[in-house]
Amino acid sequence: MARLEASKVQVRVYTFKEGLLSAVAHDLELEVTRCAVDVEPQRLVATFDTSSLKVVTAMKDGASSGVLLSPMKAEIEKNVVADVLEARRYPEARFESTALSEASVEGTLTLHGVARRVGAAVRVEGLARVAEFTLDQRDFGITPYSAMLGTLKIKPQVKVRVRLSA
């Protein structure tokens, strides 16, 4: 079994805004900074520290807009970790594959205390393998973030991009 530490694993989470005041908000790119992946020939087990999400950048039209100041990033990180993911109660997310090939990965993701089957196509980028999952937060018992009486909120669907380097 080979263990890939965080330096060989990149997990990015993309959130998308909606609501009446969405024009004043940002789509976000977040990164899981503490994780590990155990790889066997036909099996993969990944664990993710839910308190380790950090804001990478604000996004506009799929590209970095770089408009977030450090205090705003810190506030977003606090809200995601404490209020959305409830990391004190659910400190770890875990993915365990049930089917693994060069072209796809399927398995069980346990997040926020709820296990669900997920799957994605796998593509090659240089020496890395990349899979992108679309998750609905509500499927895991997570209430998407909202503020200002719901006039500013995050869409329930988030995109998770996992990149494993050789």
Side-chain angles (χ1 to χ4, degrees):
M1 170 174 44
R3 173 162 273 215
L4 300 176
E5 297 297 335
S7 64
K8 299 282 186 182
V9 180
Q10 182 185 69
V11 181
R12 298 285 170 102
V13 179
Y14 299 89
T15 66
F16 308 96
K17 63 188 169 85
E18 68 178 357
L20 185 63
L21 295 179
S22 63
V24 300
H26 307 281
D27 294 338
L28 295 173
E29 179 180 2
L30 308 167
E31 182 173 21
V32 177
T33 60
R34 289 189 301 274
C35 58
V37 178
D38 293 320
V39 182
E40 298 174 11
Q42 296 300 313
R43 185 168 179 256
L44 180 141
V45 176
T47 56
F48 312 94
D49 181 338
T50 58
S51 68
S52 74
L53 257 75
K54 301 294 179 201
V55 175
V56 174
T57 190
M59 306 285 291
K60 183 172 175 134
D61 300 323
S64 173
S65 67
V67 298
L68 290 178
L69 301 174
S70 292
M72 190 180 291
K73 284 183 178 182
E75 182 68 19
I76 292 168
E77 291 165 359
K78 180 182 88 50
N79 289 336
V80 168
V81 169
D83 300 334
V84 177
L85 294 176
E86 298 180 84
R88 281 176 149 332
R89 186 170 176 196
Y90 306 104
E92 182 179 273
R94 179 182 173 90
F95 175 82
E96 190 165 344
S97 69
T98 55
L100 184 62
S101 72
E102 290 291 319
S104 67
V105 60
E106 295 178 17
T108 302
L109 175 64
T110 304
L111 173 64
H112 206 251
V114 177
R116 293 281 184 262
R117 306 246 333 136
V118 298
V122 174
R123 68 179 183 276
V124 176
E125 288 183 359
L127 297 176
R129 301 286 188 265
V130 178
E132 288 185 356
F133 302 84
T134 298
L135 306 175
D136 189 316
Q137 298 174 73
R138 300 168 298 187
D139 291 345
F140 296 91
I142 297 171
T143 302
Y145 179 80
S146 70
M148 298 183 231
L149 300 173
T151 57
L152 176 61
K153 53 190 171 182
I154 299 299
K155 289 182 179 179
Q157 294 77 23
V158 298
K159 182 171 76 171
V160 179
R161 182 179 188 271
V162 179
R163 184 177 197 275
L164 303 179
S165 299

